[in-house]
Amino acid sequence: MVEDQQTAKSVSDSLAEERTPANESAAPVRAANRWVEIWESLLRMGLGEATVRSATMVALIVLTLVVVWVMRDFYLKADLVTPVQAARMRVVQITLTPTVSLPPFDSAAFLSSAGGVDRQAEIHTILPTQPRFDIEQYVVQKGDTVIGIAQKFGLQPQTILWGNLDSLADDPHRLQIGQKLNVLPLDGVLHEWRAGEGLNGIAKVYGVTPEDIIQWPGNHLSQDTIGDYAHPNIPIGTRLMVPGGSRPFISWSAPLMSRKDPAQSKIFGSGYCGTITDGFIGNGTFAWPTTEKYLSGYDFSPETNHWGIDIAGAMGNPIYATDSGVIVYAGWNDWGYGNAIVIDHGDGWQSLYGHLSQINVACGASVSQGATIGAMGSTGRSTGPHLHFELMNVSGVRVNPWSYLTK
């Protein structure tokens, strides 16, 4: 407190000395004396240090506000970068990456080091699949089917048949071990050119355009040299790939044989029966025609022209009438069925039984559902004992037996 009083006295003396010049006016002197009195009062109350600190804080706040004002008016609102400068800044500066010379790699030292991994070389090279344009030859193996061969080459089953008309004749049962088959490069038809044929007509038969045939690389034809489509420059006997083509199958299956109109059965083979005027009528349900109930060969597959199911069994197993009816065919068939029986059920349905080793019924006989009509065999085009069984309705449509047989 004594020091503050001495300081105040010194300040008072100094201010008194400053008031001495004659040229100062009386008003500023009085104002200065007033501030001196206030300061002396603060000192006497012990508020001198607090007043100095408060004044300093106020000064900092004022200074901060001034800086903010200056930044807002002179920087934030100013266009600091001109368009020319901005364009220059966007120019990519190319900087060369420094290269460092690496020491030579010592593979022997690396492999012998602790924790090293001995990487074995891969001697096999995987090549991408290349498109195929030529016709390949495949030798039939034991256990092969038309469907299985098609799957091996990524084709539809019908393509195997359409590529081998001469050897298979659209009949999957003609498949034999050791047989050589044509395998087309993609789904379609193989056509052998004959005298008098025209490109427009052949293309229409298979559902494609003449250009589809000409432009297929494997056919080795040229639009410039083909000539007139009606009489194209194609040598007789040339095998042509018809990409995407299709055609109806040659039918080797049994026709509809009615007891009232048996003429169709005459073309089926020597088991032909004449006109039949009377006989049992079926009840519309179909029992299993043999003792076993699983496949041994082809299933019902219209895509392979196989319109029945091949039911497994042993040589001599009994064959039963699937429903009551009249025998309209009983004997040998030249189309591949071997010994066959056809029953007209009189209610718009007929059933067929093929590859039999024995026939126990005669033409015109009436049979009841479940009656034994023959024995299982492997006659005709067959690779082992089984029963080829078909169901056909009055409209001539062969249906999938699995959907109608009762268990």
Side-chain angles (χ1 to χ4, degrees):
M1 181 64 70
V2 175
E3 293 178 357
D4 292 340
Q5 292 176 353
Q6 291 177 352
T7 303
K9 186 174 184 306
S10 300
V11 173
S12 178
D13 293 341
S14 300
L15 292 175
E17 293 176 357
E18 293 176 357
R19 292 195 298 267
T20 55
N23 59 348
E24 290 183 355
S25 63
V29 173
R30 286 195 298 272
N33 291 336
R34 179 60 181 166
W35 282 109
V36 170
E37 292 175 356
I38 293 172
W39 176 248
E40 289 177 348
S41 298
L42 292 173
L43 291 177
R44 285 192 295 272
M45 292 185 292
L47 300 176
E49 185 177 357
T51 301
V52 173
R53 291 179 179 177
S54 299
T56 302
M57 183 63 66
V58 171
L60 290 174
I61 294 174
V62 173
L63 181 61
T64 302
L65 293 176
V66 171
V67 172
V68 171
W69 177 78
V70 171
M71 290 293 292
R72 183 191 63 184
D73 289 349
F74 294 94
Y75 288 91
L76 298 181
K77 293 184 179 180
D79 192 2
L80 299 180
V81 181
T82 65
V84 175
Q85 292 173 331
R88 291 176 179 176
M89 293 172 65
R90 287 193 295 267
V91 176
V92 178
Q93 301 296 325
I94 301 176
T95 304
L96 296 177
T97 303
T99 58
V100 179
S101 298
L102 299 176
F105 177 71
D106 189 349
S107 59
F110 173 77
L111 293 176
S112 61
S113 62
V117 178
D118 185 9
R119 181 172 180 174
Q120 300 294 329
E122 176 60 58
I123 62 175
H124 300 289
T125 301
I126 299 176
L127 297 177
T129 302
Q130 300 295 325
R132 181 167 64 91
F133 300 108
D134 296 328
I135 299 171
E136 293 186 7
Q137 294 290 311
Y138 176 78
V139 178
V140 178
Q141 308 295 316
K142 183 178 180 180
D144 274 342
T145 63
V146 170
I147 294 176
I149 295 172
Q151 290 175 345
K152 288 181 181 180
F153 292 91
L155 300 173
Q156 296 295 323
Q158 54 265 40
T159 297
I160 301 298
L161 296 177
W162 290 338
N164 297 276
L165 178 61
D166 292 341
S167 57
L168 296 181
D170 289 352
D171 182 357
H173 288 107
R174 289 178 179 263
L175 208 63
Q176 299 177 12
I177 297 174
Q179 187 178 34
K180 290 185 178 180
L181 297 180
N182 299 315
V183 179
L184 305 186
L186 80 167
D187 287 319
V189 179
L190 181 63
H191 177 80
E192 183 174 336
W193 195 259
R194 296 177 178 84
E197 291 181 331
L199 266 177
N200 288 323
I202 293 300
K204 184 177 181 181
V205 168
Y206 296 125
V208 299
T209 66
E211 290 72 24
D212 292 331
I213 300 175
I214 296 172
Q215 296 172 5
W216 178 253
N219 289 334
H220 307 292
L221 300 177
S222 173
Q223 193 77 48
D224 299 331
T225 61
I226 197 68
D228 183 8
Y229 281 6
H231 305 284
N233 297 319
I234 301 176
I236 297 173
T238 300
R239 297 195 309 173
L240 298 178
M241 171 67 196
V242 184
S246 63
R247 62 168 175 77
F249 286 119
I250 297 174
S251 178
W252 53 268
S253 299
L256 181 66
M257 304 177 195
S258 168
R259 66 181 74 184
K260 296 180 181 179
D261 183 16
Q264 290 289 345
S265 63
K266 191 172 184 178
I267 66 172
F268 196 53
S270 59
Y272 162 74
C273 297
T275 302
I276 302 168
T277 59
D278 199 4
F280 290 175
I281 303 296
N283 57 32
T285 63
F286 303 101
W288 270 90
T290 187
T291 54
E292 307 298 339
K293 297 182 180 180
Y294 61 93
L295 288 178
S296 176
Y298 285 93
D299 200 349
F300 181 83
S301 56
E303 64 272 16
T304 61
N305 202 28
H306 192 265
W307 299 94
I309 59 175
D310 293 341
I311 305 175
M315 185 71 71
N317 279 6
I319 304 300
Y320 308 123
T322 188
D323 195 7
S324 300
V326 174
I327 304 299
V328 292
Y329 188 94
W332 184 260
N333 165 253
D334 296 326
W335 296 6
Y337 289 103
N339 290 322
I341 296 174
V342 177
I343 300 177
D344 175 21
H345 300 288
D347 55 358
W349 289 94
Q350 81 172 28
S351 56
L352 178 144
Y353 315 77
H355 307 308
L356 305 179
S357 62
Q358 180 179 324
I359 296 177
N360 297 345
V361 291
C363 281
S366 289
V367 294
S368 300
Q369 185 179 52
T372 300
I373 58 176
M376 183 173 291
S378 185
T379 57
R381 286 192 291 271
S382 173
T383 56
H386 71 279
L387 170 66
H388 177 84
F389 178 77
E390 293 183 12
L391 276 177
M392 182 186 296
N393 59 31
V394 70
S395 60
V397 176
R398 290 179 290 274
V399 300
N400 189 344
W402 290 108
S403 302
Y404 293 86
L405 290 173
T406 58
K407 295 183 179 180

